[in-house]
Structure formats: structure tokens, C-alpha cells
Amino acid sequence: MKPSLRAAFSAAVFAVALVVSPAPAQAAPLTMLGADVSSLQRTLDLGGKYYNASGVQANPYDILKTAGVNYARLRVWNNPASGYNNKAKVLQQAAAIKAKGLKLMVDFHYSDTWADPGKQYPPAAWASYSLSQLQTAVYNYTYDVCTSLKSAGLTPDSVQIGNEINVGMLWPRGQVVNSNFAPLASLLKQGYNATKACNSGTQVIIHTADADSMSNMRWFYDGIRNAGVTWDITGLSYYCMWHGTLANLYNVIVDARTRYGKPVAIVETAYQFTTGDADSEKNSIPGTVLCDNIPATSAGQAQQFTWVQNTARNAGAIGVFYWEPTWYAIKGNGWDPANINGTGDGWDNMATFDWGGKVNPYIKWTA
């Protein structure tokens, strides 16, 4: 997910007709109650503070745990200009995460910057690599990050091999063209093998933003399965303003779970708590496109997140992750790693902490 890229899709508005009731008794609980906190270390380094529902300053991980979080997700970029979200910073933040008793997911973008459905740029150091060289690089890099964490006593519980790789990763070598999945599959296999060589118990997630479409989901996961790719968890992004109704989400989860015989997790979701903008950076999601007629308020944000969790649970998913709940607007924590001080936060109306760092008291992660 890259906040600024999503604005182009805001015209794709979906009317949501389904009201999801509380999860039935027979629904299995969600075991991955997650938060992507990739920007958090930068905020803390800049002196940012976080406050609990009572307005008392507290450790942000403790605040999230009180709200129900048991799993943290961190993106890793190869060599970002900002010096954040690289291996060293992931190791630092992973130590804080594990010290709080949270599980850890590492999200490999295989890029120096944002990788998402609209772009999958290889790291500058890999730009001239052949497909064969990229296969080696993916293996070595994945193994290096994973074993560095393991050696520090911070073994990741899961990893993503790529981020929102709807049509491949490491373009153009790993891009899916004319439904030829072989190049991408060769890279995914290397990531899987490296992860298992590091630690056989670490679960491998293959992540797309295909919660919007049964046909797109099947095209991609059929494609990699038929090309011999193995994975442990199917990961999907779901943002209601881009990815359609909760009824459709339910159907996609059920189909993915049963078709591939693997657990499904929503590894990214979020909703706005305001239409306002805290800084000079345009909001990625203006907040004017509502889902289920839920208002852009703190209570509305919590309601939408609860409904997503209920839908996922009812469909048999194992987890839901809120994307960047701690990324409130603080000067110097911009979205562009090449200009982190000169850009702002396009996510300030989507975080679960307000512009002063106080948590939304209504929002809960529920098993």
C-alpha cells in the first residue's frame, strides 16, 4: 500500500448493501489480530507521543495490545533513501515488538520504495539483473533478513514474499505478461525456500489486493499454483472504497480458502475517522467516499473495522490487519522515502490515533 497512489482509484466507488451481524457462535476465532506499524519507529525517533483512551501517555504497543492487537507487521525495503524500513530498522523495531509479546510479520517489498499493484520497481542494486540473478538475489536477501532476525532471537512468525503483487513483482522480469506466471513463480519459490531454510515454522504469505474480484483472485492464485508455487497463507488487501462490498469480500475469502486449501488473512484494511487533513500532504483517501453509509468519524471508523473483522471471521479467515494505525501526522515522517522530511502524511485521517496521538477509544481487534 502506498498512500498517494490510491487517490487515482477513488472514482471506483462501490455501494455496499450488506450489513454484517455479529459473528455466529460456530465461526472460528481470528488468531491474527494485526497492525502494520511500519512508520512507528520514525514517529518515535522524531519525539512523537502516543496516548491511551484516557489521554495518558503510554507505549504505543501497549495501547494497541489493550485494543486487542497480538500481531505486528513491518515492511522491509532493500536500501531506502530515508534509512527507515531497511533491515537495520526492522531489527530494531522487531526487538520492541517481540519484547511486548507480539508476533511478527515481515513484509518484503523487494524494492527501495513502495511496491503495490501499480508499480513493482526492483531495488537499484538489482536493476540490471537477469531473471536468474534476481532469483539468487531474492533467495539471498530473504534468507539474510530472516536469519539476522533469528540470530537476534526475533524469528519472524510469518513473511510476505512480495507486497500486493497482483501482476507480479520485480518488474519487468517478474511481471506476469499474457498470463505467463513462470517468471514470477521462479522468484516466489526462491522466497519460499529461503524462508523455510531460515526457519521451517515461519509461515509464507502470498499477498495481492484482489479482494475486489473473484475472477482476479482466481487468475492470480490459480496461475502461481499451476506454476508450482507453494505458500502457507493467502493474504488479501481490503479497502472498502476500492475493493467493493463486504458481501463480495465474504465470497472471495470463502472461495480462496476452499479452492486452495489454505488459510486466508486480510493483511491490510483501514477506514477514515475524518474528512479533514492534518498537514500539507493530500489525503490518500479524502474520506468523502463512505462504505455502508458509515460516517467518517471515530465511531464510524471502529464500526467499519468491526464489520470487516466479522465478515472475515464468518468467511473462515484467520486474521485481519489494520494498515498503519499509528501513522498520525508528525513533521518529518513523510510518505516518500526519498524525501521523508519534505513530504507529509497522506494517511493522517486513516490512522487509529488522532492528530495529537490519542487512540480512537472505540476501535477494537476482536478474536
Side-chain angles (χ1 to χ4, degrees), residues 107-160:
D107 174 14
F108 286 92
H109 282 226
Y110 301 112
S111 182
D112 296 332
T113 186
W114 300 98
D116 53 45
K119 64 182 179 67
Q120 297 278 335
Y121 301 146
W126 301 1
S128 63
Y129 283 8
S130 66
L131 180 61
S132 176
Q133 288 173 314
L134 284 175
Q135 292 166 9
T136 300
V138 166
Y139 184 98
N140 289 343
Y141 182 70
T142 307
Y143 184 79
D144 176 59
V145 173
C146 183
T147 55
S148 294
L149 287 162
K150 183 179 180 181
S151 297
L154 308 170
T155 304
D157 298 280
S158 61
V159 303
Q160 285 186 206

